[in-house]
Amino acid sequence: MSLFPTPTPIPLAQARDLPFWRRPISLLFVMAMAMPVAFFTWSALLNNFVIEVANFNGSDIGWLHTVREIPGFLAIGVIALIMVIREQVLGIVSLILLGVATAMTAWFPSLGGILTITMLSSIGFHYYETVNQSLQLQWLPKERAPQMLGWLLATGSAATLVAYVLIVLSWETLGLTYNIVYLLAGGFTAVVAVFCLLAYPQFEAPNPQVKKFVLRRRYWLYYALQFMAGARRQIFTVFAGFMMVERFGFDVHEVTGLYLINLVLNMGLAPVFGKIVARFGERRALIFEYVGLVSVFLAYGGIYWFGWGVLLASVLYVIDHMFFALALALKTYFQKIADPGDIAPTAAVAFTINHIAAVFLPALLGYLWLVSPGAVFFLAAGMAATSLCLALLIPRHPEPGNETVFSRFLPAPAE
């Protein structure tokens, strides 16, 4: 059998006749393994790299993450691209770009160079994630989606765990450099992505996707939750890890050790969270997540307000990361309320909405960080509380026509 993609797309219903390793679900798992190796290795080394090599302060790291989030804000461009390129191909090419840009990160050890290479890797990451989310929701049946999304998260955690273990065990003993680690991690992702491009046929979902801008009033709660998730996520992504290095002086292997703990927990808990969402529903799962995040962010602030120590900071960092696995509930909520043809364009629109705050918050909060780091985490607690209020509006059994708790009192809106 040829390793090259077949010229004619294969319908999902016929893909079951392919060898198991060439089926759509297998492709999702291979990509789920490849992406985190580059992205999370870049993330694990980033704070040490920019502080030690480029002498970043809180304002600089805020600008870096603002630049990193611009492609996410522009993810709506995926709608234009899928008019001329298949979603599956676009996702894999984006994954190649992520790997190559990550491999080159240490070649540009200055503020301008780091911002430029970050922009390139971010284009790859965000366009891949936009398409990947769309393919997951198109290819996974609704009744199995929560569990399968949990297993996909666990697969990514397992692949990243291997990379982090190698970093922790060999960073000091082998005298590794940032350049070597970035080259290996990014190169691995790029090679696996090329394999995906050559080894898998093109798959055709049963519902053709709308290839135009889609913004529907009945999805308003999903859009609002995405906006708040993007704003809240920036606090953890930008400042939680930066705090561990700046305030407590964590070295590369110590920061990576925290990531290792997160990964081990995610490997075990992500499938469990998938079952929890399937059993108790998206409403209860998201309420639990947001109540936990309010508590975590307030405790982060206590580190600065009350001088709490490194042990608590490390525990909070791990707990904070665990809650991210419950974000799969937001995906399955949308899958349940969406028209099947809306998944691809709405994934792009949702990514753009998710990154509206991400474009300006890191830089803005970077300046606030210089004055009061505790205030940054207090704002994050407020964002999590807002998300909690929105989650209370999700019905117990969401579906088209029952998107929010208000739906039963309102006539179906005109599109």
Side-chain angles (χ1 to χ4, degrees):
M1 181 176 293
S2 172
L3 289 178
F4 290 87
T6 56
T8 303
I10 296 178
L12 288 183
Q14 298 179 18
R16 68 188 66 176
D17 298 327
L18 293 170
F20 181 78
W21 70 272
R22 296 192 80 214
R23 296 176 188 174
I25 189 64
S26 299
L27 175 58
L28 290 178
F29 273 96
V30 173
M31 293 193 298
M33 173 193 68
M35 185 282 290
V37 174
F39 179 73
F40 287 112
T41 298
W42 177 84
S43 299
L45 271 60
L46 177 66
N47 290 305
N48 292 87
F49 176 67
V50 298
I51 290 174
E52 295 173 13
V53 175
N55 298 315
F56 273 32
N57 58 26
S59 176
D60 294 329
I61 196 70
W63 277 109
L64 171 64
H65 284 280
T66 287
V67 168
R68 186 179 70 83
E69 297 295 357
I70 290 174
F73 178 71
L74 299 177
I76 198 169
V78 167
I79 298 174
L81 290 174
I82 62 175
M83 294 180 184
V84 296
I85 183 173
R86 294 183 58 81
E87 276 190 272
Q88 183 178 330
V89 174
L90 175 59
I92 296 173
V93 170
S94 300
L95 192 57
I96 293 172
L97 176 59
L98 168 63
V100 172
T102 300
M104 298 168 59
T105 296
W107 297 0
F108 305 94
S110 65
L111 176 60
I114 292 172
L115 293 182
T116 301
I117 203 68
T118 296
M119 173 67 81
L120 292 174
S121 65
S122 182
I123 292 172
F125 171 76
H126 284 100
Y127 277 46
Y128 163 78
E129 279 294 299
T130 301
V131 172
N132 184 51
Q133 176 174 306
S134 172
L135 294 179
Q136 287 175 348
L137 298 184
Q138 290 179 63
W139 292 357
L140 297 176
K142 291 182 181 181
E143 63 276 6
R144 296 183 59 203
Q147 298 95 319
M148 295 307 299
L149 289 173
W151 281 110
L152 287 167
L153 284 171
T155 299
S157 295
T160 315
L161 175 65
V162 174
Y164 283 3
V165 166
L166 292 176
I167 293 174
V168 170
L169 295 180
S170 58
W171 181 263
E172 291 186 335
T173 56
L174 297 182
L176 295 181
T177 64
Y178 293 110
N179 187 44
I180 291 174
V181 176
Y182 280 135
L183 278 172
L184 291 175
F188 172 83
T189 297
V191 168
V192 173
V194 170
F195 169 79
C196 291
L197 187 64
L198 300 178
Y200 287 87
Q202 297 298 304
F203 300 111
E204 189 74 65
N207 299 292
Q209 296 298 293
V210 176
K211 296 180 180 179
K212 64 180 181 180
F213 182 84
V214 172
L215 191 68
R216 302 197 190 281
R217 280 185 289 173
R218 67 185 187 89
Y219 299 158
W220 72 267
L221 180 56
Y222 174 67
Y223 298 146
L225 286 165
Q226 283 285 5
F227 175 81
M228 293 310 305
R232 186 185 65 252
R233 187 187 68 249
Q234 294 309 305
I235 310 299
F236 176 81
T237 302
V238 180
F239 297 107
F242 192 76
M243 172 190 68
M244 303 305 294
V245 177
E246 182 186 62
R247 184 174 179 85
F248 298 111
F250 272 40
D251 292 326
V252 167
H253 65 284
E254 293 171 321
V255 174
T256 309
L258 281 179
Y259 276 91
L260 284 175
I261 296 172
N262 292 337
L263 290 167
V264 171
L265 290 175
N266 270 355
M267 288 171 59
L269 290 178
V272 174
F273 285 157
K275 292 181 180 179
I276 288 174
V277 173
R279 172 65 178 83
F280 295 101
E282 289 78 10
R283 173 189 168 95
R284 293 179 181 176
L286 290 173
I287 288 173
F288 174 74
E289 176 189 0
Y290 299 144
V291 167
L293 286 174
V294 170
S295 303
V296 167
F297 284 129
L298 288 176
Y300 271 141
I303 292 173
Y304 289 92
W305 297 327
F306 306 114
W308 294 339
V310 64
L311 178 60
L312 177 62
S314 301
V315 171
L316 291 173
Y317 190 84
V318 172
I319 294 174
D320 195 351
H321 194 275
M322 285 169 49
F323 281 120
F324 276 92
L326 280 172
L328 64 89
L330 194 52
K331 290 184 181 181
T332 57
Y333 165 63
F334 173 66
Q335 186 187 40
K336 289 180 178 179
I337 66 172
D339 291 335
D342 286 351
I343 289 177
T346 305
V349 170
F351 250 76
T352 292
I353 292 173
N354 184 278
H355 287 78
I356 291 174
V359 171
F360 67 86
L361 266 185
L364 182 64
L365 294 181
Y367 291 112
L368 178 60
W369 182 270
L370 299 177
V371 179
S372 176
V376 172
F377 291 120
F378 181 77
L379 285 176
M383 295 173 190
T386 302
S387 296
L388 172 61
C389 294
L390 291 172
L392 292 171
L393 303 181
I394 298 175
R396 179 67 182 89
H397 300 288
E399 60 184 1
N402 188 36
E403 295 86 4
T404 74
V405 295
F406 303 124
S407 297
R408 62 182 180 274
F409 303 116
L410 301 172
E415 296 297 353

